Amino acid sequence: MSDSTLAVTERVVRTIADVALENEFYFAELDGVVGDGDFGLSLANGFRKLMDEWDTLDRSSPGTFLKKVSMIITSRVDGVSGAIWGTGFMRAGFAAGDKAELTADDVIAMLRAAEEGMKKRGQSDVGDKTLLDGFIPAVDELERVLKSGGSTQEALDAAAVKAREQTEVIKPWIAKRGRAAYTGERSMDTYDAGSIAVAVMAETIAASWPEISNP
């Protein structure tokens, strides 16, 4: 088992958890504009439970670790959000398999598996004004930079910029999924809380990468 690969995986998940916990009320406030306002609270509840059980998680491989993360998130994040976020971690874990070392190609494959799982579980896609409108373009940008010979840091920086840009691109749209979809045109010119969460997480991972990658 590669300690470095597992440690990096752990630190990425821990960074995501920190963002969810630190922005609990901010994400809830965003969601409350046209949604039911529970996104930030329920997401934080899931990651808070994850932190409670952090030391007990199976760390036999990065993939196994991610699958255990998925089980906790799915069970503690209410509604469709729990299923979507949990599915993302689960599909990424399955894509990683039992590999001890994860290459850049492996990570891209994991992210693609996560996005396909979230699409299916949420019955949504790019254009529906959901977190996928930030997540998928960000993964596209990450892959583009890596394939063109850029460093991991450059790829993460570019992905974070793209994720943030997407929050503005989709702001004028009418939501087609989630509670916001029930408000119709009222959802125009509002931020999607899920895509904002993706942007903040991407930015935080990029900014923290020097520490994350050198555990």
Side-chain angles (χ1 to χ4, degrees):
M1 178 63 228
S2 168
D3 292 335
S4 61
T5 298
L6 177 61
V8 169
T9 303
E10 287 185 72
R11 289 192 176 205
V12 168
V13 174
R14 184 61 182 262
T15 300
I16 291 171
D18 287 344
V19 169
L21 293 170
E22 291 167 6
N23 292 275
E24 177 177 3
F25 299 108
Y26 172 52
F27 294 158
E29 181 181 3
L30 288 172
D31 188 47
V33 175
V34 289
D36 53 17
D38 71 344
F39 171 71
L41 305 179
S42 61
L43 191 66
N45 283 339
F47 281 104
R48 191 171 290 114
K49 178 63 174 177
L50 177 65
M51 291 299 97
D52 289 342
E53 299 188 20
W54 187 256
D55 292 336
T56 69
L57 298 181
D58 187 338
R59 289 167 166 79
S60 55
S61 71
T64 298
F65 175 74
L66 290 173
K67 285 182 277 189
K68 294 300 181 182
V69 169
S70 165
M71 293 172 65
I72 295 173
I73 297 299
T74 301
S75 67
R76 292 305 294 263
V77 179
D78 296 332
V80 177
S81 288
I84 292 173
W85 286 77
T87 296
F89 282 110
M90 181 64 74
R91 291 295 186 89
F94 276 122
D98 295 326
K99 292 181 177 180
E101 294 283 355
L102 298 175
T103 66
D105 287 341
D106 290 330
V107 172
I108 293 299
M110 291 162 65
L111 292 170
R112 294 302 186 191
E115 72 181 40
E116 288 304 316
M118 290 189 288
K119 280 183 186 180
K120 184 174 182 179
R121 191 64 185 83
Q123 297 183 339
S124 58
D125 205 337
V126 170
D128 290 337
K129 196 174 183 179
T130 71
L131 66 87
L132 292 175
D133 288 295
F135 184 79
I136 294 176
V139 175
D140 290 344
E141 190 68 3
L142 183 78
E143 182 174 23
R144 183 191 68 78
V145 174
L146 289 175
K147 295 289 188 184
S148 64
S151 68
T152 301
Q153 184 68 69
E154 290 169 335
L156 289 170
D157 289 341
V161 169
K162 176 59 73 173
R164 177 58 65 178
E165 288 175 349
Q166 286 298 111
T167 65
E168 298 294 339
V169 169
I170 71 174
K171 185 181 179 183
W173 299 358
I174 295 176
K176 298 179 182 178
R177 290 290 183 271
R179 293 293 180 90
Y182 295 113
T183 67
E185 292 187 357
R186 280 187 53 224
S187 64
M188 294 174 64
D189 295 317
T190 62
Y191 286 110
D192 172 67
S195 66
I196 292 286
V198 167
V200 178
M201 290 171 182
E203 289 166 344
T204 306
I205 290 170
S208 305
W209 187 247
E211 293 77 31
I212 292 173
S213 60
N214 292 286

